[in-house]
Amino acid sequence: MAEKMDIEEGKATNGEPLANGLSSPKSNSPEPLAQRVKRIVMANLLVILTVAGVIIGVFIGLGVRNVELTKTQVIYIGFPGELLIRLLKMIIIPLVVCSLVSGAASIDPKALGKLGGWAMLFFLVTTLIASSIGVVMAFILTPGSVSDKPKVEGMGDDVPVAKEVIDSFLDLIRNIFPSNLVSAAFRSYATGYRNITRNGTDGLPTAEKIPVGTDQDGMNILGLVVFAIVFGVALRKLGEEGEILIKFFNSFNEATMVLVSWIMWYAPIGIMFLVAGKIVEMDNVGQLFASLGKYIACCIIGHAIHGFLVLPAIYFIITRKNPYTFLWGIFTALATAFGTSSSSATLPLMMKCVEENNGVSKHISRFILPIGATVNMDGAALFQCVAAVFIAQLNNASLNFIQVVTILVTATASSVGAAGIPAGGVLTLAIILEAVGLPTNDISLILAVDWLVDRTCTVLNVEGDAFGAGLLQFFVDRQAKREEGTELSGVMLEDPSVPAPESSPLIAKRGNKDSEEGAKGVLSESVM
């Protein structure tokens, strides 16, 4: 009877034994509603504050628009938002470099190559799918089929200089191998052109456009990523001699994440003023939507399909887990991406969210997410495909099958080199237009509404990075289970040819009882 009582006490309220063998407190009274609501609110306080910040920012912007404000006053309104972007950009370089060095040093080189291969495959496939969705949406909605060409005045005058396709890809390779690491922290390589005149073979002067290397403002994050990964692998090769430096980068990384956790609580305020300031800056919203509304709708619907259907479907098919629970865990980072319009600036918050809310281990998130923020641009690829077809329709240029494939491939490839900054995708749009022979002057129309489309692009970019990290965590966990199962099945008898003796719990119990009785008999005989 005593044994039965002990067994009953060792079970939880649901009938399952507790992990520590202790009894669980029996609570028959249900949790009060107010206490439950308070617990849910406190658990999701940062997400609620971030959503509230976006909504309040929209209302502040719409309310202040009716007041005649000077440019200086508009800048002052957006100052708290500018402060958030500066805080996030401040820790990008130490976070990316330290996380990649420590991540590459902590993972076995074979596993590192396998993880990187799976990640690049996922990024490539999803970017191709996003590009295909963009082309299909543009052909279905035909945003460029209008009677009069839209004219947007006062916005989008800074059209990027058109570059040759080969020079764009050579620049990408050059940036992978920066000549100066310090300079790569704030400048990147870009090709310009200089026209010269020389005498040809026939003696007549001919003009030639010569590519000239220049440095442009903007972090060369691709070069820093490649260097950090290679440096981490080199530290692991050193063995014990590299342990001190690996510990340094690990400590630096943890300290940076503490700073990120502090910045996260300022994010709702910064996002509120970022959204409000951007709404106040808009000149004539009605005219803009009237002339380019179909293009905006085409991009946003395409982003919604890819972000809410395609990526969650891929995650669910592979992991059999609820993808929308995963999305809720990174909602703060997605809202920050919408507010800042920069995937690089969102990277610190994304790392924090996937580690704390979605159970992704540090060595995976801090290795994959910086790479994803650099090379995975689903939103940019989709928007570039829509923009290319849109400009072709505006100019009544019919696209054949070869040109459509060229747009898909070029958008997928050029999105790798797109900077993770506001309007980064527009800068590479000229490459696609040049590849299919479309005029680059119409990019001014794209720039006019880029402030809105780029925000949904960034949300989709960082969502793809997060799902990639979640899938890699699933693969790593599954591999660990397989290895554990292999180790357990490897426990065998010393001589497999000798059959194992038959055993039964009843026989074992009876044998134990006989041995105990025999021991008592021997003891009593010795006493007597």
Side-chain angles (χ1 to χ4, degrees), residues 188-207:
S188 59
Y189 186 94
T191 295
Y193 295 99
R194 181 164 54 91
N195 293 319
I196 64 168
T197 304
R198 61 181 180 84
N199 292 327
T201 54
D202 53 0
L204 297 175
T206 57

Side-chain angles (χ1 to χ4, degrees), residues 102-124:
S102 61
S106 63
I107 303 174
D108 182 67
K110 293 181 181 178
L112 181 68
K114 194 177 292 184
L115 278 178
W118 278 112
M120 296 308 296
L121 178 64
F122 172 78
F123 293 156
L124 178 65

Side-chain angles (χ1 to χ4, degrees), residues 53-80:
V54 174
I55 296 172
I56 295 170
V58 171
F59 281 108
I60 290 175
L62 293 174
V64 176
R65 272 182 62 83
N66 300 326
V67 182
E68 293 294 330
L69 295 177
T70 62
K71 284 284 184 183
T72 306
Q73 291 172 330
V74 171
I75 292 172
Y76 290 160
I77 289 176
F79 173 73

Side-chain angles (χ1 to χ4, degrees), residues 209-224:
K209 188 169 69 172
I210 298 177
V212 178
T214 58
D215 287 330
Q216 64 178 6
D217 290 333
M219 189 192 316
N220 179 12
I221 194 157
L222 192 60
L224 295 174

